[in-house]
Amino acid sequence: MINKTKACTKYIWNLTLQKIFSIRMLIVLIVLYIFRDVYIIRDLRQFCMDYDCNMVPIFIPFLVNCFDYIFVFGFCILYLFSDIPFMNRWEMYYINRIGRKNWIICKIISLLFVSAIFMCINYIMDLVMMFPYIDIGNDWDRLTVSLANGALVWDGNIFSPKIINFYSPVQIGMHSYMFGSFIIFMIANCMFAISITINREIAILFGGMIATMPIAAYNSKFVLPYIYFFSPLNWISVIDSRFAYYLPNNKYVISIIMLCLVMTVVLLVYKINNKDFVWGRED
Amino acid sequence: MDVIKVENATKKFGSNRVLNQVYMSFEKGKITGIVGRNGSGKTVLFKCICGFYCLDSGDIIYDNNKLKNGQILDEAGIIIENPAFLEKYNGLKNLELLYCINNKVDKAYLAGVMKSVGLEPKSRKKVSKYSMGMKQRLAIAQATMENKDILILDEPMNGLDAEGVDYFRRYFQELKENGKTLILASHNKDDISMLCDKVYTMENGEVVSMS
């Protein structure tokens, strides 16, 4: 029993490594790097260089408030997990030894690891892109505060004064990391469950819907204010009903994530019993 | 004594019936061959026996116990279609990762298994650099290393050179003499005639003859 658990742990680790070092992940990271660079970081770096100042390199919680960035981010996640139902030929010999249920549980756990590592890489990317103009501390730097104040009069700024006033960099960083990891995990798990119960095409369609939801939310927030309650990618940012009446609170987000995860895990464990293994092509 | 029985097995993909009321039995300590053209249903049948595919109707009976539909037959060592391994590791590491699932890793033993199939255990060559024949040898090693009583081998001689084919014919005979049950699919008539005690011929998902 202990042997099997140990072996499953190794298997999960291998699954995670396969995904992290895949061509898909590389493409996603290059797209995000370029988009982020063009979108904001190049200007911020230039600003830091010109005025000889440093910045707290936490941008994700702000970036995910921008509908065009979150749209690209959403499609990157969709592409990253579009090889659902993750049936790789090399796993055949593992399934033969660990069985269907253990296989699906290992897959689910590896999805959680991939999501957490993916978010971690995103944070590291910000750090690398801003290097050496980095301010490490738990107080917002002058530049961020100035830009946030500017946002009060200029709506094109990504830095939200509300977020800066209410949260410290560590708080907001941790918040977005945790929520981001679990939301990506939830989306991947939902896509996985749909691909196992219905088919891959419907699962990808679902992923596409989730990725385009932030645009719908942004454009119709005054007509359909509660659309944010159905757009999980928007929840990666610090959302607080104190900021706007149409935003859901953390309790709601955590409950939905938990509910979704429990439902998809139960569905996957149940449905895998009568699913044909059709091996896909490797990356 | 029959160790595995396939009873009335039917499998459809959409409207395409790939297995149609197949009955087969595989005797303990014997080599049973399955022959048939491409698309006759051999691999699908193997996948159904292994539990990778679920039957639409019919049963797989192992050791007089009816298996649940889609239950993985973990008592069998398998080679199905082309071999596939974690390409970034070498052969020994791949075997280790599989072996440690149900056994305590014994590197010396696994090195011996690799030598027995003609692979160099100390080689650091990654599987991605292996030739088709080397991958096939590694696949045979993974199927046999746990000393399982049943071996389900779909085209095990694929990609092997003439010497390799001769060697593995003797190797499979030895396994049979040691009481293993082998189920073998092959396009090579010599393999079948030299190795098998019983042969089923399949055509369009049906068993058309037994000899």
Side-chain angles (χ1 to χ4, degrees):
Chain A
M1 185 67 189
I2 293 167
N3 223 13
K4 205 153 201 161
T5 313
K6 240 177 156 180
C8 284
T9 312
K10 276 188 194 170
Y11 177 54
I12 292 166
W13 183 237
N14 274 322
L15 286 173
T16 310
L17 287 184
Q18 288 288 316
K19 195 75 186 169
I20 297 297
F21 293 105
S22 65
I23 300 287
R24 265 169 214 277
M25 182 64 95
L26 185 68
I27 291 170
V28 161
L29 293 178
I30 290 172
V31 168
L32 285 178
Y33 185 95
I34 294 170
F35 193 76
R36 217 178 286 191
D37 186 45
V38 173
Y39 196 78
I40 187 88
I41 293 190
R42 188 177 295 178
D43 294 337
L44 291 176
R45 261 183 75 92
Q46 191 61 46
F47 213 98
C48 290
M49 234 186 287
D50 293 346
Y51 293 94
D52 194 25
C53 57
N54 294 335
M55 276 192 94
V56 175
I58 293 177
F59 303 124
I60 294 169
F62 301 108
L63 281 169
V64 289
N65 272 329
C66 310
F67 78 95
D68 35 7
Y69 180 81
I70 195 75
F71 176 69
V72 173
F73 189 75
F75 266 90
C76 284
I77 292 168
L78 169 64
Y79 176 65
L80 184 63
F81 295 113
S82 60
D83 57 338
I84 39 174
F86 314 121
M87 289 178 182
N88 300 308
R89 188 175 289 280
W90 64 269
E91 295 174 76
M92 171 171 40
Y93 305 134
Y94 286 84
I95 298 165
N96 177 240
R97 288 167 173 87
I98 63 176
R100 284 173 178 255
K101 270 204 181 115
N102 285 334
W103 177 78
I104 204 100
I105 290 165
C106 290
K107 281 277 169 189
I108 294 167
I109 297 171
S110 89
L111 282 181
L112 173 62
F113 287 157
V114 170
S115 309
I117 294 171
F118 176 69
M119 276 308 280
C120 189
I121 296 172
N122 271 279
Y123 274 89
I124 293 169
M125 202 192 279
D126 283 342
L127 206 76
V128 171
M129 289 169 91
M130 279 308 286
F131 191 80
Y133 306 102
I134 294 167
D135 182 355
I136 304 284
N138 200 21
D139 291 318
W140 292 108
D141 56 279
R142 279 181 303 139
L143 180 55
T144 308
V145 173
S146 309
L147 287 169
N149 288 333
L152 292 171
V153 287
W154 174 46
D155 200 31
N157 198 331
I158 69 160
F159 296 100
S160 157
K162 288 173 188 166
I163 292 178
I164 284 173
N165 285 338
F166 279 107
Y167 301 97
S168 70
V170 173
Q171 274 179 326
I172 193 176
M174 289 300 289
H175 177 105
S176 283
Y177 178 74
M178 293 300 287
F179 275 61
S181 302
F182 276 99
I183 286 164
I184 294 169
F185 175 45
M186 180 187 80
I187 294 169
N189 228 17
C190 287
M191 286 172 67
F192 189 25
I194 295 170
S195 72
I196 292 285
T197 45
I198 310 171
N199 63 36
R200 182 170 182 253
E201 286 71 24
I202 302 286
I204 290 177
L205 206 68
F206 168 82
M209 218 176 72
I210 295 287
T212 45
M213 212 56 165
I215 292 192
Y218 181 81
N219 285 313
S220 54
K221 63 185 169 197
F222 298 114
V223 191
L224 296 165
Y226 294 105
I227 196 162
Y228 278 99
F229 283 74
F230 304 98
S231 177
L233 284 171
N234 286 97
W235 308 340
I236 297 175
S237 174
V238 176
I239 49 164
D240 199 320
S241 40
R242 281 179 295 182
F243 296 171
Y245 72 95
Y246 50 77
L247 291 177
N249 58 21
N250 286 344
K251 260 187 203 165
Y252 169 84
V253 172
I254 293 167
S255 319
I256 291 292
I257 292 173
M258 295 307 288
L259 188 72
C260 242
L261 288 177
V262 170
M263 276 168 58
T264 49
V265 169
V266 170
L267 193 67
L268 281 166
V269 171
Y270 173 70
K271 277 285 176 185
I272 196 61
N273 287 328
N274 44 27
K275 176 80 183 167
D276 289 344
F277 284 99
V278 181
W279 318 115
R281 282 167 59 183
E282 310 289 311
D283 242 339
Chain B
M1 183 203 155
D2 293 331
V3 66
I4 295 179
K5 276 196 261 184
V6 178
E7 288 188 346
N8 196 25
T10 301
K11 176 74 185 167
K12 283 187 283 187
F13 291 115
S15 58
N16 186 18
R17 198 179 278 253
V18 283
L19 290 181
N20 191 15
Q21 296 179 331
V22 172
Y23 285 86
M24 280 187 192
S25 58
F26 305 100
E27 222 174 302
K28 195 176 169 67
K30 296 276 160 86
I31 302 180
T32 307
I34 300 176
V35 293
R37 287 185 192 162
N38 294 333
S40 58
K42 302 185 299 287
T43 303
V44 172
L45 176 70
F46 276 15
K47 286 184 179 176
C48 290
I49 295 172
C50 292
F52 295 142
Y53 282 173
C54 301
L55 289 171
D56 291 317
S57 65
D59 295 304
I60 308 290
I61 295 160
Y62 167 70
D63 219 4
N64 290 325
N65 295 312
K66 209 182 268 186
L67 296 181
K68 278 187 212 156
N69 201 4
Q71 183 180 333
I72 299 288
L73 184 64
D74 54 4
E75 287 85 356
I78 59 161
I79 298 177
I80 308 251
E81 294 175 321
N82 297 330
F85 293 93
L86 281 167
E87 305 239 310
K88 63 175 187 236
Y89 295 134
N90 66 9
L92 186 63
K93 180 74 185 170
N94 265 290
L95 291 189
E96 258 180 60
L97 287 170
L98 291 166
Y99 189 77
C100 74
I101 294 173
N102 294 315
N103 308 276
K104 210 172 167 199
V105 175
D106 181 347
K107 283 195 180 186
Y109 169 72
L110 289 177
V113 172
M114 277 193 81
K115 274 185 191 160
S116 74
V117 296
L119 292 172
E120 177 47 58
K122 283 182 185 160
S123 164
R124 297 176 78 178
K125 199 177 191 177
K126 290 179 181 175
V127 170
S128 58
K129 302 269 188 276
Y130 272 26
S131 66
M132 179 60 199
M134 288 170 82
K135 281 185 186 170
Q136 197 67 25
R137 284 168 190 264
L138 192 61
I140 294 173
Q142 72 75 30
T144 53
M145 67 184 173
E146 284 146 320
N147 211 17
K148 289 179 176 177
D149 288 333
I150 301 164
L151 294 169
I152 297 175
L153 309 170
D154 185 11
E155 304 287 354
M157 309 294 197
N158 258 2
L160 295 176
D161 50 33
E163 229 174 86
V165 170
D166 277 345
Y167 174 78
F168 281 108
R169 279 180 189 157
R170 288 197 301 275
Y171 187 74
F172 293 146
Q173 277 291 357
E174 265 174 44
L175 289 173
K176 177 190 145 184
E177 281 156 21
N178 291 334
K180 309 288 178 208
T181 307
L182 280 81
I183 306 173
L184 183 89
S186 180
H187 286 297
N188 189 322
K189 283 181 183 164
D190 291 341
D191 290 342
I192 296 293
S193 61
M194 287 168 78
L195 290 171
C196 299
D197 302 295
K198 183 160 79 173
V199 180
Y200 287 101
T201 307
M202 288 186 75
E203 217 175 277
N204 296 325
E206 290 178 10
V207 176
V208 289
S209 70
M210 189 196 86
S211 55

